[in-house]
């Protein structure tokens, strides 16, 4: 047979599996990639954005007004720039949410096309690669914050993980220190989770689309005169390849 055995439920690859970690991080922020976007999801995403990207981010901006010297200013500016970029990227992904839903539909369509065992293995390896990469990014991003907080936690109440403003003196007593410490832990890890999706979702989609494009080009190359097929059937194979190629280009 031209394409070997067709995809079966047992060996069928689903491209959407490549984004498992990323979609998990988006779900934590209230952004679910599905058409049924309920009110509770909207409340979740707005609440998370306001608390994390506005209120918590404001504590970094206000802290700039309380620096004592140029060194402290230069130490705080990079974090402010990073948080600004993080907020903008998340808004971009939120705006493109309908496009992600449509892309997933098209990926499902491409997954349903007939593939040889070799092509299914190629797609399967790309899916696993994407899952490994996103898992590594998740661990690294979370780990960076953990390292900062380990240093702060061992400072005996003299240092926080990051220089942020609080409406009270967190050095005054242990309760205020640990309260401030855990507020930072929660919001910084939430920012790290947000950045996992911000920085990887585009790359992961390109990897999967690249794998599908290679498979389509192989399908093009496999189209030839087949005595077991009519001319019309061969033409339909060619048209399907053209349609799938157009989907990827879009």
């Amino acid at each position: 047979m031209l394409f070997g055995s067709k995809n079966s439920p047992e060996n069928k690859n689903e491209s959407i599996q490549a984004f498992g970690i990323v979609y998990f991080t988006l779900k934590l922020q209230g952004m679910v990639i599905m058409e049924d976007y309920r009110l509770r999801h909207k409340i979740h995403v707005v609440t998370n954005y306001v608390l994390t990207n506005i209120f918590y981010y404001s504590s970094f901006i206000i802290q700039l007004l309380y620096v004592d010297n140029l060194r402290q200013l230069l130490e705080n500016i990079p974090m402010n720039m990073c948080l600004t970029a993080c907020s903008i990227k998340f808004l971009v992904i939120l705006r493109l949410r309908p496009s992600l839903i449509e892309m997933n539909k098209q990926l499902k369509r491409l997954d349903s096309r007939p593939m040889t065992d070799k092509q299914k293995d190629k797609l399967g390896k790309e899916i696993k690669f994407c899952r490994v990469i996103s898992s590594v990014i998740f661990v690294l991003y979370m780990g960076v914050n953990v390292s900062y907080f380990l240093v702060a936690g061992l400072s005996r109440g003299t240092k926080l993980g990051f220089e942020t403003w609080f409406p009270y003196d967190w050095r005054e007593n242990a309760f205020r220190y640990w309260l401030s410490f855990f507020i930072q832990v929660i919001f910084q890890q939430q920012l790290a989770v947000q950045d996992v999706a911000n920085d990887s979702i585009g790359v992961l989609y390109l990897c999967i689309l690249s794998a599908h494009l290679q498979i389509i080009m192989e399908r093009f190359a496999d189209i030839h005169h087949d005595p077991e097929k009519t001319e019309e059937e061969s033409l339909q194979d060619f048209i399907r390849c053209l349609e799938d190629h157009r989907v990827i280009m879009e």
Side-chain angles (χ1 to χ4, degrees), residues 5 11 40 49 53 58 122 146 153 162 166 183 196 206 216 219 250:
S5 58
N11 61 4
R40 61 185 176 88
Y49 191 84
N53 297 89
S58 297
K122 177 184 294 186
V146 170
F162 298 88
F166 286 95
I183 288 175
V196 172
L206 285 175
I216 290 172
R219 286 167 52 197
E250 289 179 349

Side-chain angles (χ1 to χ4, degrees), residues 13 62 81-82 119 127 156 158 166 169 182 215 218 241:
N13 290 312
I62 296 174
M81 295 176 65
C82 178
Q119 290 167 347
I127 291 172
R156 298 181 180 180
T158 61
F166 286 95
D169 185 0
F182 285 115
I215 291 172
E218 291 178 6
C241 287

Side-chain angles (χ1 to χ4, degrees), residues 18-250:
F19 315 111
I21 297 295
V22 172
Y23 282 175
F24 170 72
T25 64
L26 288 175
K27 189 174 182 179
L28 290 177
Q29 301 165 68
M31 192 166 77
V32 184
I33 309 300
M34 65 167 78
E35 291 182 330
D36 185 17
Y37 201 50
R38 299 179 180 178
L39 178 61
R40 61 185 176 88
H41 296 141
K42 296 178 181 179
I43 294 175
H44 184 174
V45 74
V46 171
T47 301
N48 173 75
Y49 191 84
V50 170
L51 292 178
T52 305
N53 297 89
I54 297 181
F55 286 158
Y56 181 64
Y57 177 28
S58 297
S59 68
F60 283 89
I61 297 177
I62 296 174
Q63 181 62 27
L64 291 175
L65 304 176
Y66 292 90
V67 296
D68 298 323
N69 50 56
L70 180 61
R71 177 182 175 182
Q72 288 184 354
L73 178 66
L74 295 178
E75 287 176 348
N76 288 349
I77 285 179
M79 192 63 186
N80 276 270
M81 295 176 65
C82 178
L83 291 177
T84 301
C86 179
S87 300
I88 294 174
K89 286 187 287 186
F90 180 71
L91 286 177
V92 171
I93 294 177
L94 184 61
R95 181 173 178 271
L96 293 177
R97 181 181 164 277
S99 298
L100 294 177
I101 294 174
E102 182 60 30
M103 286 174 66
N104 290 343
K105 290 180 180 178
Q106 299 297 346
L107 286 177
K108 187 175 182 180
R109 169 184 170 181
L110 294 174
D111 290 336
S112 67
R113 294 307 195 198
M115 302 180 194
T116 63
D117 291 336
K118 182 179 179 181
Q119 290 167 347
K120 284 183 281 188
D121 288 341
K122 177 184 294 186
L123 180 59
K125 289 178 180 179
E126 198 67 34
I127 291 172
K128 291 179 181 178
F129 173 76
C130 290
R131 292 180 66 86
V132 169
I133 289 298
S134 55
S135 298
V136 170
I137 293 175
F138 180 86
V139 172
L140 288 177
Y141 279 32
M142 301 294 281
V144 168
N145 283 336
V146 170
S147 65
Y148 275 99
F149 291 125
L150 282 176
V151 173
L154 296 174
S155 70
R156 298 181 180 180
T158 61
K159 182 179 181 180
L160 291 174
F162 298 88
E163 291 294 329
T164 56
W165 175 83
F166 286 95
Y168 53 81
D169 185 0
W170 53 267
R171 299 178 180 84
E172 188 170 311
N173 55 58
F175 174 76
R176 288 188 175 186
Y177 171 78
W178 288 110
L179 174 63
S180 305
F181 179 85
F182 285 115
I183 288 175
Q184 280 197 347
V185 170
I186 292 171
F187 284 110
Q188 282 295 145
Q189 295 297 58
Q190 188 67 2
L191 283 170
V193 164
Q194 191 176 110
D195 270 337
V196 172
N198 289 348
D199 297 339
S200 63
I201 192 168
V203 175
L204 297 182
Y205 269 101
L206 285 175
C207 287
I208 293 300
L209 288 175
S210 176
H212 276 293
L213 180 59
Q214 292 178 42
I215 291 172
I216 290 172
M217 299 311 293
E218 291 178 6
R219 286 167 52 197
F220 268 121
D222 285 338
I223 296 176
H224 60 280
H225 174 68
D226 188 344
E228 297 183 3
K229 288 186 176 183
T230 65
E231 184 177 345
E232 179 63 24
E233 289 174 333
S234 297
L235 179 60
Q236 289 303 315
D237 288 339
F238 180 73
I239 291 175
R240 278 191 291 269
C241 287
L242 284 178
E243 291 175 346
D244 293 341
H245 186 270
R246 177 183 55 79
V247 167
I248 291 181
M249 291 301 99
E250 289 179 349

